[in-house]
């Protein structure tokens, strides 16, 4: 749209050029097949490396004609092959070319061509298919939904897949192109499973030792895509061998430092997937001494920006859950310092001196930052010393804070993940997190963010709301309760857990006002909703919240005076329901807390049903439950409190004392002690 | 010094295992540092008994280091250097140290330092000294204050130290993980030169200029460990055991890097210039070795002209054929006829030719004696027609090529392999020469020989013939060269030519098979004796004219000695009868002819190859600041 002014000029140039291009198209319609063939060959020579010519021919309608000739049964194989070659050449041009080709339904035509017996023709069709399928998909572009659509169609058509698998044995070119098509079309576990079920592993494995570098490379890429986050494929790969050598060994060879970077990186990805799937142990030397160092090298300044992004992301994935790998990575080649460089793009130098470079840097800047954040997150996931080292890296907290407010969702997400990982450090929560007022941008991220960010951000918030965190106060003041309460209503399970978890942390040893705010914000209906949540985690955290709310006597009495009825109902329900030990224990603890109140006690004492339940749990087979029930009793019969005598009498009548006597003989020292203390209350 | 005595006293069994370890060590060192000439620049194999602080004790073949001092403060620090500095030709050097015990405080340092750095210190504290310390994990680069570098290390850890002489960096490893690369400043930092941009015409110039560049560079860093508190004990691994860190993989990376640098050397605007030069080289090579048709075709395609006339090429070829067939008389005659004045002006060459002619008479192949014996018609037929060109050139010409390039290839040390090969190709002679098989190859590959009189003879002879200083240089530089390292592939045609020779030879074998002097013919024997007398006279003549010549004398003596044995083929000087011995004679003659025609004695292509290998060898030898020469070998580019 910006070139409106130039339009007349371009028009005239266009008309000039199209005149010469038209000639090529016209020849496609010649009656003499020999002349048509010559015309296609000339066209082929004219379009090679000439994007303008390609665009012209497309505008002039060469594509439908070429496709027609390609599909025509009467066309000679030679002509059909040349047509496929020209179409492949057109696909090599701009993204618009690919769009035009897709619009003309080129994919079905080419797939049809694969059924031909002629190898040259098949190769030309595959080459064209390959070129189309690997063209970059820009999600902003609606037309491009066609490409993923076709990629999906290709993989879901069993006959096509089996035919492609069969073609794998035809020549090194079919091998190269088909592997490349597979690795670009395979997106997600569905596709992986389809390819796997069609024997992709067996069919492609031997290509890893092909004499052609391109075939080896594409086969390797195929495996990296097939195995990515796919335990089934990964587990299979470990046991496949080619020429007496197991695949992991072959991959390790491809990691050698004199191999092309692309090959090293891709085989490291394969080994990473296999390791994460549990197919290779994390302490296996091929991971510790080969894959990990290789990936660290990929992060070095010497590598291309794309390679550094991929290297860091893969490494982050590899070490994510293993503290030993995190420790090794943290000392290898000063990785933590090396990663700081990821934030220096575009550099101030490149901005002035080199526009091309600036463009390149800008394009990758986001990717670099998010990759670095991801890797920092993995590195700091478990080890306090590593977290300290990360935070001590130059401007690290500022970078995270800036990252939290970046426009790119990917960067924001990665920054939050990094923050989350670092927030597991008590020390950092008290120092750096406070110094940089991290909570502010974090609260901002939590507003209207997509779920995937919300999940991590709310987890981080949980940590920031721990009682010893100095951020707790300001977070509360900025309206966190409301936000968290709304999270508990989310469809997303992780968000519900995090929301209630954060509330639980918030309620721990909190003042009365906060507790009432939470209760008000949550509403009793929501509380019940959560108590009947299908997820045990949500249930546990909700009970935890209740328990935290019901602590210190005045609070207990206050809350029970307002919500007593509902809470007692809920407790009864849970104790009657089918729940695991932990849930029941937590519930009994809540009862114990209630029993600690002054007025709240009466809610229990007047509820025979509850008393019977407590009695039941005192003789339960699980010691934990017995202990929790005993806490209740002990709170109820405590001497110094008002009305203790009546309660003691009532409970004795229920036969509690007999049980206590029995328990005082228990082999469990905790139970025994507790029972004896309780019995003393009766004696006093 | 007390430990010195102790460590040499070994129990029998241990000595055996030690020698096994030694073998393993030598094998590993050869594999890691193939370019290092270990006789000239030995690699570190243990800690030095002399070059250490008094507080250091050594044991277990001087591989285990323990601290014997008080360890009160840093003044009690003690270090030990390895027996030898790291040769620059390593390119990349690596050693490991295992911490057996961290002792009291674990103040241990692993690193490098130059000769002369105080041993009363931990590595890294002083100038020209670098170290990674276990107590704080800091790295010390010629400074008393360290920089935060890596993790601390302690008992059970394996610490490695790698020096990269290509980019002057070093890095340490802990338990097989590289920690981070650091710069290393070499004691006297040498000037950096781009060797490839220097254009050398003459080999002497190469040598001199390279030498003067290299003279300023000496980088003598020693593997070093330092300890400071009682109980600290570490074991070194200089290659006795497999390394924990995959150093070979690191070396592979650098080899690939250097090769790609060479491959991607920017030519830029000089592309045309380069192309012309390359075409010239190819063309001159083809012409030199008489691939006439190929040369013509090449000239036509590349649009260049051949400098030498076809006739001149053919003449040369004819003479060579004669010499190699042992028909010396005819060869001398042809030379005199085609190149009048040539032999007259070089009496030394003539004398050599005549000596060879005498030997050929003994064999019975020379035309002057052969006319007496019954000739095999096959022989007649096959011979004079031999200058057939393109159809056979792949084989026959390459033969000549090998001899033509003789003086050069000898210099590169390729002859050893080549002559071995040719030797094996003469089965009929094997019985006679098997006993003397090694002398024959030694004789030929003089550059590899250390004591053979033959080699001296030959080299001094060529010296005179060519009045060239190359041979001096060769003697100076290559007398100790490792024959294994010589390149075979320069001789790209040798393999086939032997077959043809053999075919030629087969006709002779008939006569040879009888193994009789001059083919057993009386007249021939008489002619031979007469020729011997003439030769004696010629020698005396030369002696009176040019002064005494020991080379001539020896040559004559060797030749005449053949008659002293009943079976010349099976006598101490019998190897003269080996047809392979015709090749140096032939080479000398052809070189002289070429020189007289103002043509290069050797094709420029061979000269360039020689120069390239020469340069690399000198770089490795003298230690040019960059160790990249260790990873660039001419062989890698010859297919």
């Amino acid at each position: 749209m910006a070139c409106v002014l130039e339009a007349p000029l371009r028009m005239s140039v266009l008309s000039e050029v199209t005149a010469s291009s038209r000639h090529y198209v016209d020849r496609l319609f010649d009656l003499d097949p020999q002349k048509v063939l010559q015309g296609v060959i000339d066209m082929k020579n004219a379009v090679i490396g000439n994007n303008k010519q390609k665009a012209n021919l497309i505008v002039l309608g060469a594509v439908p004609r070429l496709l027609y000739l390609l599909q025509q049964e009467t066309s000679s194989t030679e002509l059909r092959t040349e047509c496929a070659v020209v179409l492949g050449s057109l696909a090599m041009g701009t993204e618009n070319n690919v769009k035009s080709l897709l619009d003309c339904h080129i994919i079905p035509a080419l797939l049809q061509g694969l059924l031909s017996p002629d190898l040259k023709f098949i190769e030309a069709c595959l080459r064209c298919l390959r070129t189309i399928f690997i063209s970059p998909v820009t999600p902003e572009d609606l037309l491009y939904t066609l490409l993923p659509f076709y990629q999906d169609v290709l993989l879901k058509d069993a006959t096509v897949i089996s035919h492609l698998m069969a073609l794998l044995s035809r020549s090194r070119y079919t091998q190269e192109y088909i592997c490349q098509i597979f690795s670009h079309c395979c997106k997600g576990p569905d596709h992986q499973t389809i390819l796997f079920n069609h024997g992709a592993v067996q069919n492609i494995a031997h290509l890893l030792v092909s004499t052609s570098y391109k075939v080896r490379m594409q086969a390797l890429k195929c495996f990296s895509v097939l195995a990515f986050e796919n335990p089934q494929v990964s587990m299979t790969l470990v046991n496949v061998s080619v020429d007496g050598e197991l695949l992991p060994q072959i991959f390790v060879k491809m990691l050698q430092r004199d191999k092309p970077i692309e090959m090293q990186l891709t085989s490291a990805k394969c080994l990473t997937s296999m390791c994460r799937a549990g197919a290779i142990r994390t302490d296996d030397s091929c991971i510790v001494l080969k894959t990990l160092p290789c990936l660290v090298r990929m992060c070095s300044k010497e590598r291309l920006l794309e390679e550094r992004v991929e290297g860091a992301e893969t490494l982050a994935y590899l070490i994510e859950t293993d503290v030993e790998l995190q420790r090794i990575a943290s000392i290898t080649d000063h990785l933590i310092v090396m990663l700081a460089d990821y934030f220096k793009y575009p550099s101030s130098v490149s901005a002035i001196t080199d526009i091309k470079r600036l463009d390149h840097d800008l394009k990758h800047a986001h990717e670099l930052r998010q990759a670095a954040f991801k890797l920092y997150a993995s590195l700091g996931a478990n080890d306090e010393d590593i977290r300290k080292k990360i935070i001590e890296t130059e401007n690290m907290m500022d970078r995270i804070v800036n990252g939290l407010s970046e426009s790119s969702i990917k960067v924001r997400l990665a920054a939050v993940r990094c923050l989350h990982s670092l927030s597991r450090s008590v020390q950092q929560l008290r120092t750096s997190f406070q110094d940089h007022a991290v909570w502010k941008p974090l609260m901002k991220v939590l507003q209207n963010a997509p779920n995937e960010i919300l999940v991590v951000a709310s987890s981080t918030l949980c940590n920031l709301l721990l009682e010893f965190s100095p951020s707790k106060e300001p977070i509360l003041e900025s309206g966190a309760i409301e936000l968290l309460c709304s999270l508990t209503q989310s469809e997303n399970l992780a968000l519900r857990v995090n929301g209630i978890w954060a509330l639980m942390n918030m309620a721990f040893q909190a003042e009365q006002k906060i507790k009432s705010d939470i209760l008000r914000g949550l509403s009793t209906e929501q509380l019940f909703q959560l108590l009947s949540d299908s997820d045990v985690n949500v249930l546990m955290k909700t009970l935890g919240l209740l328990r935290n709310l019901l602590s210190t006597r005045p609070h207990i009495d206050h809350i029970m005076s307002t919500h007593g009825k509902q809470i007692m109902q809920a407790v009864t329900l849970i104790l009657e329901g089918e729940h695991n030990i932990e849930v029941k224990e937590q519930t009994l603890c809540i009862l114990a807390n209630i029993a600690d109140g002054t007025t709240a006690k009466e809610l229990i004492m007047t509820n025979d049903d509850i008393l019977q339940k407590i009695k039941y749990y005192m003789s339960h087979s699980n010691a934990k439950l017995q202990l929790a029930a005993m806490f209740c009793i002990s709170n109820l019969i405590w001497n110094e409190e008002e009305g203790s005598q009546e309660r003691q009498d009532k409970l004795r009548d229920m036969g509690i004392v007999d049980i206590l006597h029995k328990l005082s003989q228990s082999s469990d020292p905790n139970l025994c002690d507790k029972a004896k203390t309780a019995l003393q209350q009766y004696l006093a | 010094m007390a430990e010195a005595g102790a460590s040499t006293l070994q129990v029998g069994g241990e000595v055996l295992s030690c020698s096994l370890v030694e073998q393993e060590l030598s094998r590993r060192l050869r594999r890691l540092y193939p370019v290092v000439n270990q006789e000239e620049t030995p690699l570190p194999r243990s800690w030095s008994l002399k070059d250490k602080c008094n507080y250091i004790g050594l044991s277990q073949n001087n591989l285990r280091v323990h601290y014997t001092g008080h360890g009160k403060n840093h003044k009690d620090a003690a270090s030990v250097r390895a027996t030898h500095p790291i040769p620059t030709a390593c390119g990349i050097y690596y050693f490991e140290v295992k911490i057996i015990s961290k002792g009291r405080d674990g103040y241990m340092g692993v690193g490098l330092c130059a000769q002369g750095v105080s041993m009363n210190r931990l590595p890294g504290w002083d100038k020209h000294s670098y170290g990674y310390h276990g107590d704080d994990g800091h790295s010390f680069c010629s400074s008393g204050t360290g920089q935060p570098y890596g993790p601390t290390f302690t008992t059970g850890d394996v610490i490695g130290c790698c020096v990269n002489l290509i980019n002057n960096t070093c890095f340490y490893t802990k338990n097989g993980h590289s920690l981070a690369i650091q710069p290393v400043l070499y004691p006297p930092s040498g000037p950096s030169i781009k060797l490839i941009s220097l254009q050398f015409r003459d080999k002497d110039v190469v040598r001199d200029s390279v030498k003067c560049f290299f003279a300023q560079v000496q980088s003598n860093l020693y593997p070093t460990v330092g300890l400071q508190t009682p109980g600290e004990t570490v074991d070194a691994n200089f290659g006795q055991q497999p390394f924990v860190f995959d150093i070979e993989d690191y070396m592979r990376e650098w080899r690939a890097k250097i090769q790609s640098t060479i491959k991607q050397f920017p030519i830029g605007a000089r592309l045309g210039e380069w192309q012309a030069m390359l075409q010239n080289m190819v063309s001159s090579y083809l012409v030199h070795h008489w691939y006439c048709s190929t040369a013509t075709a090449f000239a036509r395609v590349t649009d260049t002209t051949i400098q030498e006339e076809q006739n001149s090429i053919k003449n040369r070829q004819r003479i060579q054929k004669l010499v190699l067939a042992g028909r010396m008389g005819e060869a001398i005659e042809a030379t005199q006829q085609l190149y009048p004045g040539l032999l007259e002006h070089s009496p030394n060459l003539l004398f050599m030719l005549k000596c060879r002619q005498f030997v050929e008479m003994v064999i019975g192949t020379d035309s002057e004696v052969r006319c007496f014996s019954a000739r095999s018609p096959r022989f007649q037929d096959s011979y004079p027609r031999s200058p057939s060109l393109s159809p056979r050139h792949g084989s026959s010409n390459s033969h000549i090529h090998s001899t033509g390039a003789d003086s050069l290839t000898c210099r590169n040390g390729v002859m050893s392999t080549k002559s071995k090969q040719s030797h094996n190709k003469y089965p009929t002679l094997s019985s006679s020469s098997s006993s003397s098989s090694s002398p024959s190859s030694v004789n030929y590959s003089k550059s590899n020989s250390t004591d053979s009189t033959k080699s001296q003879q030959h080299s001094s002879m060529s010296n005179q013939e060519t009045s060239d200083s190359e041979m001096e240089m060769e003697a100076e530089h290559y007398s100790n060269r490792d024959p294994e390292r010589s390149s075979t592939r320069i001789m790209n045609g040798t393999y086939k030519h032997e077959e043809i020779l053999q075919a030629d030879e087969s006709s002779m074998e008939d006569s040879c098979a009888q193994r009789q002097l001059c083919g057993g013919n009386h007249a021939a024997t008489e002619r031979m004796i007469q020729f011997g007398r003439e030769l004696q006279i010629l020698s005396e003549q030369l002696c009176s004219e040019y002064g005494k010549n020991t080379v001539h004398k020896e040559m004559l003596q060797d030749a005449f000695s053949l008659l002293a044995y009943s079976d010349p083929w099976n006598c101490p000087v019998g190897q003269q009868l080996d047809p392979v011995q015709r090749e140096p004679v032939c080479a000398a003659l052809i070189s002289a002819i070429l020189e007289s025609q103002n043509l290069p004695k050797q094709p420029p292509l061979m000269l360039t190859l020689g120069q390239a290998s020469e340069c690399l060898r000198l770089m490795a030898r003298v230690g040019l600041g960059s160790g990249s020469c260790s990873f660039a070998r001419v062989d890698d580019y010859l297919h």
Side-chain angles (χ1 to χ4, degrees), chain A residues 532-582:
Chain A
S532 52
D533 200 291
S534 57
D535 185 77
V536 68
N537 238 331
V538 174
L539 179 56
M540 276 300 282
K541 298 300 178 235
T542 315
L543 292 171
L545 169 66
L546 268 179
R547 199 175 149 188
N548 284 348
L549 289 173
L550 295 168
S551 68
T552 72
R553 210 159 282 163
H555 294 176
I556 297 169
D557 288 336
H558 177 79
I559 291 168
M560 290 312 283
S561 69
T562 48
H563 297 84
K565 206 179 152 204
Q566 293 96 324
I567 290 174
M568 290 310 286
Q569 250 177 352
V571 168
T572 318
L573 237 108
I574 291 168
L575 286 179
E576 281 172 358
E578 293 282 321
H579 292 288
N580 63 26
I581 303 289
E582 279 73 30

Side-chain angles (χ1 to χ4, degrees), chain A residues 14 17-18 21-22 24-25 28 43 47 50-67 86-104 106:
Chain A
L14 194 69
V17 177
T18 47
S21 304
R22 179 165 298 284
Y24 287 113
V25 182
L28 299 182
M43 187 186 271
V47 295
N50 187 340
N51 271 348
K52 203 175 254 176
Q53 186 71 272
K54 287 176 190 173
N56 287 338
L57 290 175
I58 290 171
V59 169
L60 292 169
V63 177
R65 182 65 186 168
L66 285 168
L67 280 174
V86 174
L87 288 166
S89 200
L90 294 178
M92 286 274 201
T94 65
E95 290 173 28
N96 279 327
N97 292 2
V98 178
K99 259 186 263 177
S100 312
L101 291 174
L102 287 174
D103 286 342
C104 295
I106 188 173

